[in-house]
Amino acid sequence: MTAHTDTPASVTTVYKVTGMSCGHCEGSVSGEISQLPGVSSVKAVASTGEVTVVSEAPLDDEAVRAAVDKAGFELAGRA
């Protein structure tokens, strides 16, 4: 259920996160997800609630959920 693959070595997945309302929120979510193994970039957008993650391989949804929870927000699922 990934959005698309950029290259054979990377996967882009878009998640929906609820509760983000500002740049600080975006930074908190991005910071936690970026610490997951294999993640090469994270872009969170508070206005849409979307978080785009580029990783070496598909990520475990529960690991992403735990990172979002640690940042103080809720993972609603994949976009």
Side-chain angles (χ1 to χ4, degrees):
M1 296 185 74
T2 57
H4 67 278
T5 55
D6 292 331
T7 68
S10 70
V11 176
T12 301
T13 309
V14 180
Y15 297 95
K16 290 294 275 185
V17 174
T18 59
M20 293 189 300
S21 61
C22 64
H24 183 266
C25 299
E26 294 169 350
S28 296
V29 170
S30 295
E32 291 298 334
I33 293 174
S34 68
Q35 293 180 32
L36 295 174
V39 171
S40 56
S41 75
V42 181
K43 179 172 175 57
V45 180
S47 62
T48 62
E50 291 187 347
V51 180
T52 303
V53 181
V54 179
S55 56
E56 295 171 359
L59 297 174
D60 177 64
D61 285 346
E62 289 309 309
V64 175
R65 184 176 308 281
V68 171
D69 286 349
K70 188 172 179 183
F73 301 95
E74 183 178 342
L75 179 67
R78 294 187 186 203

